[in-house]
Amino acid sequence: MQPSAPSPSHRPALPATTAPVLVAVGHGSRDPRARAALARLLTRVRELRPGLDVRLAHIELNAPLLDETLAGLAAEEHEAGTGAGAVLVPLLLAPGHHVTHDLPAALAAVPGLRARVADPLGPHPLLVEALAGRLAEAGWTPADSASAATGVVLASAGSRDPRSAATLRRIAADLGERLGTPGAPVPVISAHTSAAAPTVPEAVAALAARGRHRVAVASCFTAPGLFAARAAAHAPWIAADPLGAHPALARLVLHRYDRARTGRPTTPARELAAI
């Protein structure tokens, strides 16, 4: 008698030999909580995609640095005689100098490594889901969504790249739709802690001039740091935590990875599904 085929739950896992390495690239911070927050985020990513080689790198300030990580990957591929390459997923919210210059320059320095750069995290509905989730954790309620006294400042680091400002304005508009009621979005103003206007205090004042005195600050940062703390300090009401290891952000990282390596979104529906 031929032995029966193993049930799906008992079949041995196939080795992940063809998927490119996912290199998640953070900015880097002197705040020791930042690296820990990104490590927790990548733990969630690995849980969603068992077997995928996921590594963390930083543009500056924290180890491992991106150039060292890429050089190490190139050396591994050279020693093995083959390799699946890599996809760099920026843990950054919008286009800017780091995404458009620093990451491509880092790849150009290791021409032997087959790799590509994914889009930044924003804009995307999963990012808005994470922002809304952090606001809810800070105290935002359905009653606040219907109130004529509430408003939100979407705080980010800022960039001189006009594409970055446009992206953040779109994220702000999408967040307003998400928080509001049908036909009545919550006013959300994109503001910055450096390099661009308006500042967070200026955005708070603009909302107050419209009668919105109950202002929350949504933290459009992937990890704690100086800029996130500076933005939260200007909150007249509640301030959300940075996005960190929010489950929706982990799904978004995989979505950007899949899109970059295949040219189309192939992230399984279970990973993209809302919480």
Side-chain angles (χ1 to χ4, degrees):
M1 178 183 295
Q2 294 292 330
S4 60
S7 65
S9 61
H10 292 91
R11 290 175 185 156
L14 294 175
T17 58
T18 58
V21 176
L22 190 166
V23 180
V25 186
H27 180 275
S29 171
R30 291 183 175 86
D31 190 319
R33 297 172 299 167
R35 193 184 189 287
L38 297 185
R40 289 192 296 271
L41 171 63
L42 297 193
T43 294
R44 285 193 180 273
V45 171
R46 295 184 185 100
E47 289 170 349
L48 287 169
R49 193 73 60 86
L52 179 62
D53 189 347
V54 179
R55 308 189 190 190
L56 175 62
H58 301 88
I59 296 170
E60 60 184 13
L61 298 175
N62 297 126
L65 292 172
L66 178 58
D67 55 355
E68 297 168 350
T69 297
L70 296 179
L73 282 171
E76 290 173 22
E77 292 201 354
H78 178 74
E79 182 176 349
T82 184
V87 173
L88 276 57
V89 179
L91 300 181
L92 304 167
L93 285 306
H97 186 76
H98 292 312
V99 174
T100 61
H101 178 269
D102 291 344
L103 270 59
L107 288 184
V110 283
L113 179 66
R114 293 181 294 109
R116 63 191 67 183
V117 180
D119 289 335
L121 299 178
H124 195 276
L126 284 171
L127 175 58
V128 174
E129 180 181 333
L131 289 164
R134 289 295 188 226
L135 279 170
E137 293 169 1
W140 186 278
T141 69
D144 296 315
S145 294
S147 171
T150 55
V152 175
V153 173
L154 179 71
S156 66
S159 169
R160 293 182 178 86
D161 190 322
R163 292 170 296 179
S164 177
T167 295
L168 290 162
R169 286 194 297 269
R170 178 176 169 186
I171 295 169
D174 291 345
L175 180 60
E177 294 284 348
R178 172 69 182 251
L179 294 175
T181 56
V186 170
V188 180
I189 296 179
S190 173
H192 314 284
T193 55
S194 69
T199 65
V200 174
E202 288 169 346
V204 169
L207 286 167
R210 295 162 59 180
R212 304 280 176 166
H213 298 284
R214 193 172 169 83
V215 177
V217 171
S219 185
C220 203
F221 299 93
T222 53
L226 175 63
F227 287 164
R230 184 181 296 171
H234 292 299
W237 175 36
I238 57 174
D241 286 338
L243 298 168
H246 192 282
L249 202 67
R251 300 199 302 273
L252 179 53
V253 168
L254 283 169
H255 176 71
R256 291 303 195 211
Y257 166 82
D258 286 335
R259 187 91 185 224
R261 74 185 180 95
T262 65
R264 61 187 185 279
T266 59
T267 306
R270 67 178 176 79
E271 294 176 10
L272 287 173
I275 300 170

